[in-house]
Amino acid sequence: MSAARVGVVTFPGTLDDQDAARAVRHAGGEAVPLWHADPDLKGVDAVFLPGGFSYGDYLRCGAISRFAPLMEELIPAARAGLPVLGTCNGFQILCEAHLLPGALMRNASLHYICRDQGVVVENTATPWTADFTEGQRIVLPIKHGEGRYVADEATLAALEANGQVVFRYVGNPNGSLNDIAGIRNEAGNIVGLMPHPEHAVEDLTGAPSTDGRGFFTSILKKLVNA
Amino acid sequence: MARVIVDVMLKPEILDAQGQAIARALPRLGFSGVSSVRQGKRFEVEIEGPADEAALAEVRKMAETLLANTVIEDFTVTVAG
Amino acid sequence: MARVIVDVMLKPEILDAQGQAIARALPRLGFSGVSSVRQGKRFEVEIEGPADEAALAEVRKMAETLLANTVIEDFTVTVAG
Amino acid sequence: MNLDTVKRAADTPGERQPYAELGMKRDEYDRVREILGRRPTSSELAIYSVMWSEHCSYKSSKVHLRQFGTKAPKSDALLVGMGENAGVVDVGDGWAATFKIESHNHPSYVEPHQGAATGVGGIVRDIMSMGARPIAVMDSLRFGGADQPDTRRVLPGVVEGISHYGNCLGLPNIGGEVVFDPCYIGNPLVNALCVGLLRKDQIKLATAPGPGNKVVLFGALTGPDGIGGASVLASATFEDESQAKRPSVQVGDPFMEKLLIECCLELYQADVVVGIQDLGAAGVSCATTELAAKGTGGMDVQLDLVPLRDPSLRPEEILMSESQERMMAVVTPDDIDAFMAICTKWDIPATVIGEVTDTGRLVMTWHGETIVDIPPGTAADEGPVYERPFAEPAGQAALNAASAAELPRPEDLRATLLQLFGSPNLASKEWVTSQYDRYVRGNTVLAQPADAGVLRISEAMPGAEETTRGIALATDGNGRYARLDPYAGAQLALSEAYRNVAVTGATPLAVTNCLNFGSPEDPEVMWQFAEAVRGLADACKILGVPVTGGNVSFYNQTGSTAIHPTPVVGVLGVIDDVAKRVRSGFTGEGDRVVLLGETREELSGSEWAHVAHGHLGGLPPVADLEAERALALVLTEAASRGLLTGSHDLSDGGLAVALAEACLARGVGCAVSLPGDDAFVDLFSESAARALVTVRPEAFDALAELCAAHEVPCYGLGGTGGGTLAVEGVLEIPVAELREVHEGALPAVFG
Ligand SMILES: Nc1ncnc2c1ncn2[C@@H]1O[C@H](COP(=O)(O)OP(=O)(O)O)[C@@H](O)[C@H]1O
Ligand SMILES: [Mg+2]
């Protein structure tokens, strides 16, 4: 059996692509590099949009990346059910591309913030969170200047009603509405969150937990069983 | 050659953290009499041809798809005087 | 109650990395005919009294000390029409 | 428009030239005329004036800095020493590390955000130009008093600038310093360090060999950045009104720099670069003269081919522009297409502007007319060298006589500890460090609040081969110590950085330094400088760590008042098995707490004297380098044998502050008793060559033996555990209370 193939997208200014690929490999998957300018998903089974400052975060985070040639392939594939995970800048891109509702704005403190953050897993009915339990409290690094999740009231109500809030902060670091740290689309295949699971997969390096592993084991199990 | 201005402001219902921080700082700096501040963006777009209706329609499309995120922002397009 | 607009733009000789990145992206998004984009800030300042000369002078001072960084930015103050 | 060509210069020998406005002395100008055998053209004057400036030529410091070479200890690790863009050190298994620290003090005072940001950008390009992938940054910062209003303008901007630029590049920030002292109020110090990694056999140098090879300028377009001086020149020569005000600040574009990093790495990978140089101060002037001087000796440049952001720029201004995010490479004609293709992939503008020659001349033309024709070495290497006079400051003896021993001692040591622990210099720096990404790239093993940053090597480069090794880095400096005794102060800065590296378990290997001083034209400042360099060079020899590079920043003063002399020292170390790094502070309950090293009554220049009395006088702690070396040997050996469960160096605030910080690491308290008979001295003295470590009880004897073998004093103080810091018979403070004063201090000032 060949390993499940997870595409990791690099835009100009993407920073966490190497970490994302490493996390995929640690979980036993094959990380397939995808280049923003190539409109080719290379037949991957899932896609990871990593963090960074694509296009320097100029204009708005994710605003320019959304138009990349690769996105023209990715957007319809995601709408058709391809599992997609966006973390940090990846989450911002997913919102700008309207694959997820709402928007991410400047932190309420107006400062960039890097810290280890408690997060509660609210929804496990996604290919990226199946290995967690509902209500499980995990710790992941956050590192962002624009992570304040906003949406209009109707959208928020719908997210809550449909169980689309996937992660909530314990102690809101950025002023996100309803303490939202991550959400999914209605179908559940697309998940975006501000925290960084790819930085929390090894004991040795930096982060205080290995709680991020759950994302990668979830998706790989799902793909292997599919 | 003409210059078209695109002003982008947050929708009124969206919390403007930057504007509020400025409004809060003003009294400390000795400025009184300001009831609110909102911060938005201003784009000066130089177009090659004249600012005719077709060009403005094009800039409006640019504002709608790129310069503003209409989920949270409103925009206006004007020709620089 | 009056609304005063403060537009803050980078001085022309200062690198506007953001505006340049947008301008470079436009052709890829199918927009042609734009020769340059500059991005600045727009502040909408609501003042309690009328926008008379004294109030405008006050806003100008505010722009100079807080809203704009005059080392690299220029600003203009206008009363909202 | 009138162009000052070589021909015109020869025909108009008497034309007045604004050399003085460009900061040149009459004799320097005369020397240029002598070299050229005619008056320089305005473009040549632009080149010589920037290349012979203090900043580029090191004319006041050179005679002293030579000691770093002449006194250098023998080191097998040194692959590239001083004089290149950055030093390179062998870290084993085929890997090399390159690192350097540089100042951006003055720009950060004028425009804190951009000044600090471009400081990071500049040092990162230095590291890139060695052929390395930059893998982390650090920042060493000094501001005026925390409560002084201008500090509230400068500090947030500086931190935001470093944060934005570094974060955007995807470089983890793994350490630094934040120090407050009123002496820096008109002169903040912003020193940025970058470290990079490369294969030992892939070092790139700034050289342009091979006639016929192409000279490529790539990266950002050239604009009127930081060329106040050049517009003086352009307008003085041509009375050209259009050369209005030019900005003296440079503005950075971190996104462009990130693309440049990736582009350069791909260029190195493809092996299409013969020589490379970053453009920093003095921009094109510096890159062309230095590349040519170190290569075959000549270069022809068509200056009008330089792509411009502002088409009105004059050649003199192009030569002096300090636009950021630019590099210059030398490429063979065969490789030029491949080179350009990689630049295109990364959206990096790249232009061939010239060619290497063997004429021994740097020749530049402007639309066909020759405007520069000089021997490049005379600008790059043969600048003026000054033996500036120096003299011990008038008040030095009196200052040294006013020892802290005379100060009243506190009754309440609990209150004293809390007062110190919440003072700006000792308080938690999280307000600053939480704005820096310390996780990006996933190789950060230790970062704040650890004593040194530690990175693993194996995965730093995609596709790299396995190694268990890691590198550790720390920067330190203490302006108060250096003010009291610049010789010892520089040694103490080195000692502390060296010790901070050693407490993680790494072996210190090499040194970089940033020497921040007042005006070299002031003999008293020059004395401080000479003493500091002599002290640092002597200490490096004893500790066996060579200086690989660094930076001198003079003229840090307001009016005639100089800052404290502030040598900042960075030390890089290697740990063979990075998994054996020692974590900072108390990591669990039930460990023995052990103090290593000798405590003397050394309170002059201490944080206690500063905070409790606003006092500065006496002599700083003794810099006992042999003891420092022995301590490091104990620490690294204990770490490699897995004896240590935690560690922390003793420095500012002494044992008291070290214990308190160790408790905060994981909220684990301790109960200890003091070894000496004066609790105040035991707790607050700042004797060097000391560290706190923890061991499992069963490992204590092994540690004690190791200490005995190296003649390092070793005191079992007590054990970890509980929720308080308890010093028997002296004080007891809940860890939560310590945390509150420590973490609340900076937010209370800066929001
Ligand atoms: N400007 C800065 N940038 C990055 N890290 C910093 C900075 N200032 C302090 N730090 C980090 O914060 C921690 C505490 O700093 P400090 O109080 O100076 O340490 P110590 O007391 O051990 O000398 C260290 O890990 C240090 O590297
Ligand atoms: Mg320190």
Side-chain angles (χ1 to χ4, degrees):
Chain A
M1 186 188 62
S2 66
R5 303 173 73 238
V6 179
V8 176
V9 185
T10 301
F11 298 95
T14 293
L15 305 178
D16 299 322
D17 42 353
Q18 182 197 338
D19 308 53
R22 177 197 293 128
V24 168
R25 285 196 305 271
H26 271 263
E30 183 194 344
V32 180
L34 299 177
W35 178 240
H36 74 109
D38 289 343
D40 178 3
L41 289 174
K42 299 188 177 159
V44 295
D45 306 306
V47 168
F48 192 140
L49 294 175
F53 288 72
S54 62
Y55 290 96
D57 271 1
Y58 292 143
L59 186 55
R60 287 180 314 279
C61 309
I64 300 179
S65 301
R66 160 204 170 188
F67 294 98
L70 182 81
M71 292 300 287
E72 281 165 31
E73 295 295 304
L74 181 60
I75 291 170
R79 293 224 164 91
L82 181 75
V84 177
L85 180 71
T87 63
C88 200
N89 192 227
F91 184 17
Q92 294 161 342
I93 294 169
L94 290 173
C95 288
E96 282 284 342
H98 306 303
L99 288 171
L100 290 173
L104 291 145
M105 300 185 55
R106 191 89 190 266
N107 294 347
S109 68
L110 304 182
H111 290 302
Y112 181 98
I113 177 166
C114 173
R115 78 177 195 202
D116 304 325
Q117 174 67 45
V119 174
V120 174
V121 182
E122 299 266 320
N123 187 289
T124 55
T126 85
W128 302 96
T129 56
D131 269 3
F132 294 106
T133 51
E134 232 147 81
Q136 185 179 345
R137 198 182 144 157
I138 60 178
V139 176
L140 297 174
I142 56 168
K143 18 168 257 183
H144 59 248
E146 315 221 350
R148 176 163 57 100
Y149 183 78
V150 298
D152 60 37
E153 272 174 40
T155 306
L156 272 183
L159 286 173
E160 295 287 358
N162 300 340
Q164 283 177 252
V165 175
V166 184
F167 300 100
R168 250 186 258 276
Y169 296 115
V170 182
N172 194 329
N174 54 25
S176 288
L177 295 177
N178 295 17
D179 300 331
I180 288 174
I183 56 173
R184 41 165 269 204
N185 63 344
E186 262 189 82
N189 62 307
I190 308 175
V191 173
L193 75 164
M194 288 313 295
H196 288 264
E198 78 283 8
H199 288 325
V201 298
E202 291 180 277
D203 284 320
L204 179 65
T205 43
S209 84
T210 52
D211 292 341
R213 287 178 184 165
F215 288 76
F216 303 94
T217 55
S218 295
I219 188 68
L220 291 170
K221 270 186 210 160
K222 156 99 187 168
L223 296 178
V224 169
N225 294 335
Chain B
M1 282 279 291
R3 174 177 297 177
V4 183
I5 308 298
V6 180
D7 286 317
V8 175
M9 299 300 290
L10 284 175
K11 295 191 178 197
E13 66 270 23
I14 302 280
L15 169 72
D16 173 10
Q18 280 162 306
Q20 287 196 351
I22 293 166
R24 272 199 309 273
L26 287 176
R28 263 189 290 122
L29 302 178
F31 294 104
S32 57
V34 171
S35 55
S36 92
V37 177
R38 291 186 71 76
Q39 175 170 344
K41 295 175 192 157
R42 173 188 168 91
F43 299 91
E44 296 184 357
V45 181
E46 303 275 352
I47 55 176
E48 274 150 20
D52 53 18
E53 241 334 290
L56 287 181
E58 190 73 2
V59 174
R60 250 178 242 117
K61 213 173 103 200
M62 197 186 302
E64 194 162 340
T65 51
L66 181 68
L67 301 182
N69 175 354
T70 53
V71 173
I72 48 170
E73 294 167 329
D74 294 325
F75 65 88
T76 58
V77 173
T78 49
V79 180
Chain C
M1 283 280 291
R3 173 177 296 177
V4 182
I5 308 297
V6 180
D7 285 319
V8 176
M9 300 298 292
L10 283 173
K11 296 187 179 189
E13 66 270 22
I14 298 279
L15 167 70
D16 178 9
Q18 180 151 240
Q20 287 195 353
I22 297 167
R24 273 201 308 269
L26 287 174
R28 267 187 291 120
L29 312 184
F31 295 104
S32 55
V34 171
S35 56
S36 94
V37 177
R38 291 187 71 79
Q39 175 168 349
K41 296 176 191 151
R42 173 187 166 93
F43 297 93
E44 296 183 358
V45 181
E46 302 277 351
I47 55 177
E48 274 150 19
D52 53 18
E53 240 333 292
L56 287 181
E58 192 73 1
V59 173
R60 248 175 246 120
K61 216 172 101 197
M62 199 184 299
E64 195 162 335
T65 51
L66 182 66
L67 302 182
N69 174 357
T70 53
V71 177
I72 53 174
E73 293 169 329
D74 292 326
F75 64 88
T76 58
V77 173
T78 49
V79 180
Chain D
M1 203 183 320
N2 210 346
L3 187 69
D4 196 24
T5 59
V6 167
K7 181 166 180 313
R8 186 169 172 279
D11 294 346
T12 56
E15 184 161 299
R16 203 202 76 83
Q17 294 193 281
Y19 63 87
E21 289 88 329
L22 293 170
M24 269 188 140
K25 300 273 187 299
R26 175 79 217 189
D27 57 337
E28 294 172 347
Y29 174 68
D30 288 342
R31 167 119 177 79
V32 172
R33 295 188 69 123
E34 190 188 314
I35 290 170
L36 299 178
R38 57 171 163 79
R39 77 160 173 89
T41 66
S42 56
S43 295
E44 290 165 341
L45 187 59
I47 293 176
Y48 281 103
S49 71
V50 289
M51 291 307 293
W52 287 8
S53 68
E54 185 66 55
H55 186 76
C56 293
S57 75
Y58 289 83
K59 57 189 169 193
S60 302
S61 54
K62 230 176 198 163
V63 294
H64 299 283
L65 297 180
R66 284 191 188 125
Q67 293 169 74
F68 292 145
T70 55
K71 292 182 182 170
K74 253 217 160 62
S75 163
D76 298 333
L78 195 62
L79 299 174
V80 175
M82 296 205 313
E84 281 290 334
N85 286 311
V88 184
V89 186
D90 189 340
V91 295
D93 293 340
W95 288 102
T98 173
F99 72 125
K100 187 178 170 190
I101 187 165
E102 204 166 72
S103 67
H104 229 212
N105 303 339
H106 186 66
S108 301
Y109 178 69
V110 177
E111 211 307 288
H113 181 115
Q114 292 298 341
T118 51
V120 173
I123 191 66
V124 168
R125 284 192 299 281
D126 269 326
I127 295 306
M128 281 157 62
S129 69
M130 297 307 298
R133 172 180 276 285
I135 57 169
V137 294
M138 301 175 84
D139 58 319
S140 174
L141 309 177
R142 279 161 183 77
F143 302 102
D147 50 2
Q148 291 184 276
D150 202 43
T151 300
R152 252 166 280 171
R153 169 185 75 94
V154 176
L155 180 143
V158 163
V159 171
E160 220 179 77
I162 293 170
S163 153
H164 184 64
Y165 207 102
N167 292 348
C168 231
L169 294 186
L171 294 177
N173 187 308
I174 59 166
E177 302 165 84
V178 182
V179 177
F180 299 93
D181 191 295
C183 77
Y184 303 110
I185 190 67
N187 258 284
L189 302 186
V190 175
N191 293 178
L193 180 150
C194 181
V195 57
L197 208 60
L198 67 162
R199 300 288 317 166
K200 212 168 121 172
D201 50 15
Q202 288 177 348
I203 297 170
K204 295 279 180 235
L205 297 176
T207 162
N213 284 341
K214 303 291 178 196
V215 177
V216 187
L217 182 62
F218 63 116
L221 305 186
T222 298
D225 301 271
I227 53 172
S231 36
V232 169
L233 195 145
S235 57
T237 314
F238 302 104
E239 289 132 30
D240 183 344
E241 286 306 313
S242 76
Q243 309 301 320
K245 215 167 142 264
R246 296 301 197 188
S248 55
V249 287
Q250 310 102 328
V251 172
D253 178 358
F255 172 55
M256 174 62 87
E257 180 120 326
K258 167 68 178 166
L259 299 185
L260 259 186
I261 294 176
E262 300 305 330
C263 179
C264 282
L265 284 161
E266 220 170 296
L267 293 170
Y268 300 151
Q269 208 67 46
D271 201 15
V272 292
V273 175
V274 176
I276 189 158
Q277 166 81 301
D278 60 300
L279 274 72
V284 172
S285 296
C286 183
T288 52
T289 55
E290 289 192 352
L291 281 171
K294 286 195 195 146
T296 314
M299 189 182 284
D300 285 349
V301 172
Q302 275 174 269
L303 204 55
D304 49 284
L305 294 181
V306 170
L308 301 179
R309 189 172 90 228
D310 172 350
S312 76
L313 286 190
R314 307 271 316 156
E316 300 85 354
E317 294 176 307
I318 295 171
L319 285 166
M320 291 178 101
S321 164
E322 295 186 352
S323 288
Q324 302 291 298
E325 293 95 22
R326 296 179 300 164
M327 304 282 285
M328 189 173 283
V330 176
V331 183
T332 66
D334 285 349
D335 288 333
I336 202 80
D337 289 345
F339 185 100
M340 292 297 178
I342 291 170
C343 291
T344 305
K345 171 181 170 189
W346 288 102
D347 242 328
I348 298 284
T351 313
V352 174
I353 62 162
E355 212 171 276
V356 176
T357 67
D358 54 9
T359 59
R361 308 290 292 184
L362 171 64
V363 178
M364 295 192 185
T365 58
W366 183 256
H367 299 289
E369 305 221 49
T370 303
I371 54 170
V372 170
D373 186 352
I374 63 171
T378 59
D381 308 318
E382 292 157 36
V385 175
Y386 293 149
E387 302 255 3
R388 296 213 186 260
F390 52 88
E392 182 176 304
Q396 194 70 22
L399 182 71
N400 292 145
S403 156
E406 318 300 321
L407 300 172
R409 303 283 168 93
E411 294 286 305
D412 183 348
L413 298 185
R414 183 183 199 278
T416 302
L417 172 51
L418 288 172
Q419 182 193 12
L420 284 186
F421 207 43
S423 69
N425 285 341
L426 296 178
S428 166
K429 302 305 177 324
E430 207 181 321
W431 191 91
V432 172
T433 57
S434 68
Q435 298 188 46
Y436 302 154
D437 184 348
R438 60 182 179 275
Y439 290 119
V440 63
R441 300 192 67 71
N443 294 311
T444 306
V445 175
L446 292 176
Q448 70 84 32
D451 295 302
V454 173
L455 298 163
R456 76 167 157 199
I457 293 177
S458 66
E459 300 197 28
M461 309 271 237
E465 67 221 54
E466 286 295 310
T467 166
T468 59
R469 288 169 197 260
I471 56 174
L473 276 152
T475 66
D476 278 292
N478 187 318
R480 290 200 311 271
Y481 289 170
R483 175 75 183 83
L484 296 179
D485 180 348
Y487 181 88
Q491 299 199 328
L492 288 163
L494 172 64
S495 293
E496 190 181 344
Y498 177 93
R499 190 184 325 131
N500 278 325
V501 163
V503 293
T504 67
T507 300
L509 268 194
V511 172
T512 182
N513 69 102
C514 190
L515 304 172
N516 305 277
F517 288 77
S519 166
E521 296 162 44
D522 176 343
E524 299 191 346
V525 168
M526 213 49 219
W527 176 82
Q528 295 175 327
F529 181 79
E531 283 295 288
V533 172
R534 191 170 67 85
L536 185 56
D538 287 346
C540 285
K541 189 171 171 72
I542 297 172
L543 292 178
V545 284
V547 171
T548 63
N551 171 243
V552 176
S553 172
F554 278 131
Y555 299 103
N556 291 289
Q557 54 184 61
T558 312
S560 61
T561 314
I563 58 163
H564 288 336
T566 312
V568 170
V569 179
V571 170
L572 178 137
V574 173
I575 181 164
D576 290 347
D577 181 356
V578 71
K580 291 195 173 157
R581 55 71 180 79
V582 183
R583 290 191 171 92
S584 195
F586 301 148
T587 56
E589 312 242 328
D591 286 345
R592 290 286 297 271
V593 177
V594 185
L595 173 64
L596 306 179
E598 198 55 67
T599 305
R600 290 176 288 265
E601 182 178 327
E602 295 183 303
L603 292 152
S604 292
S606 68
E607 279 297 331
W608 169 74
H610 178 66
V611 173
H613 295 282
H615 178 270
L616 180 59
L619 286 167
V622 170
D624 185 344
L625 300 161
E626 294 298 348
E628 206 68 69
R629 196 181 166 112
L631 175 68
L633 286 171
V634 166
L635 289 166
T636 51
E637 186 167 345
S640 75
R641 285 165 54 187
L643 298 179
L644 306 181
T645 54
S647 63
H648 192 25
D649 85 307
L650 267 63
S651 57
D652 310 337
L655 177 63
V657 167
L659 286 168
E661 286 175 344
C663 289
L664 292 193
R666 281 160 201 240
V668 175
C670 69
V672 297
S673 52
L674 297 172
D677 37 40
D678 183 334
F680 172 72
V681 170
D682 270 347
L683 286 173
F684 296 103
S685 166
E686 296 187 358
S687 296
R690 296 183 302 161
L692 201 58
V693 296
T694 55
V695 291
R696 298 301 305 158
E698 58 275 18
F700 180 78
D701 289 344
L703 176 68
E705 262 173 48
L706 187 58
C707 288
H710 291 283
E711 294 177 45
V712 170
C714 164
Y715 304 95
L717 299 184
T720 62
T724 66
L725 164 57
V727 181
E728 198 191 328
V730 180
L731 57 80
E732 179 161 4
I733 307 176
V735 173
E737 189 177 346
L738 286 172
R739 191 176 297 285
E740 204 177 299
V741 300
H742 193 57
E743 292 178 0
L746 293 195
V749 182
F750 299 105

